[in-house]
Amino acid sequence: MTEREVVPVRPDFSAADIGTILGSIRTALETGQLAQGEEVAAFEREMAAYTGARHAVALASGTAALVCGLRALAERGIGEVLVPANSFYSTAAAPLLAGLRTRLVDVEAKTFAPSVETLERAVTKDTVGVLVVHMGGLITPELRAIADWCEARGLWPVSYTH
């Protein structure tokens, strides 16, 4: 097996970006609005506009975001979500916190993600969704095929970077 190297990334912020960020932090600290408040509301409006969504909700963590998204699946009734076996604990815990079951799925050594083949072996009549995790930012080249596979079966695909 060929080893893959995950290259660290150093964020590069312009002086203007740093000024904007520090100004927002100052406003939050001066007003005492460390959670919610106008800064968060403005961020949610800007994110909704940027993504073309009607609404955006700022959450405290990626786990909270997964749980909120998966609750929409739970509304379909009790079911299971296929989850890669090699991910962080919250990937497997999020379906449980949303009222679903977690079914661990094998991953491919080259992509650290499940393939259509491994998903096909794991899917059951109770499956309602699939979580695909981009480990270290490595995005599986099968992502489009996995999304198509999910759509053909009426499953919800959820993809995120860990």
Side-chain angles (χ1 to χ4, degrees):
M1 171 172 63
T2 304
E3 289 188 32
R4 288 184 170 243
E5 182 179 340
V6 177
V7 180
V9 176
R10 182 184 183 281
D12 184 26
F13 296 100
S14 69
D17 287 343
I18 292 170
T20 299
I21 293 165
L22 290 176
S24 294
I25 292 169
R26 176 174 290 285
T27 299
L29 293 174
E30 287 174 349
T31 62
Q33 292 290 308
L34 303 181
Q36 302 310 314
E38 183 48 39
E39 292 293 320
V40 173
F43 171 77
E44 291 173 336
R45 285 191 302 272
E46 290 172 22
M47 186 56 68
Y50 178 75
T51 60
R54 285 183 291 183
H55 306 284
V57 178
L59 298 163
S61 68
T63 302
L66 281 174
V67 172
C68 286
L70 291 170
R71 285 194 179 178
L73 287 177
E75 289 180 6
R76 293 173 147 183
I78 299 298
E80 69 184 14
V81 178
L82 304 181
V83 176
N86 67 320
S87 186
F88 186 65
Y89 169 77
S90 61
T91 307
L96 300 174
L97 293 169
L100 299 162
R101 291 188 312 274
T102 296
R103 183 174 177 84
L104 298 177
V105 179
D106 288 334
V107 298
E108 300 296 324
K110 292 181 180 181
T111 64
F112 306 117
S115 64
V116 170
E117 183 180 327
T118 57
L119 292 171
E120 187 65 47
R121 287 195 305 261
V123 71
T124 71
K125 65 178 179 52
D126 295 328
T127 304
V128 294
V130 175
L131 285 179
V132 177
V133 182
H134 312 304
M135 296 299 291
L138 178 63
I139 299 173
T140 176
E142 282 197 56
L143 190 57
R144 171 62 12 216
I146 291 169
D148 292 343
W149 180 87
C150 287
E151 184 176 348
R153 284 157 185 74
L155 305 177
W156 238 39
V158 178
S159 171
Y160 73 99
T161 299
H162 183 340

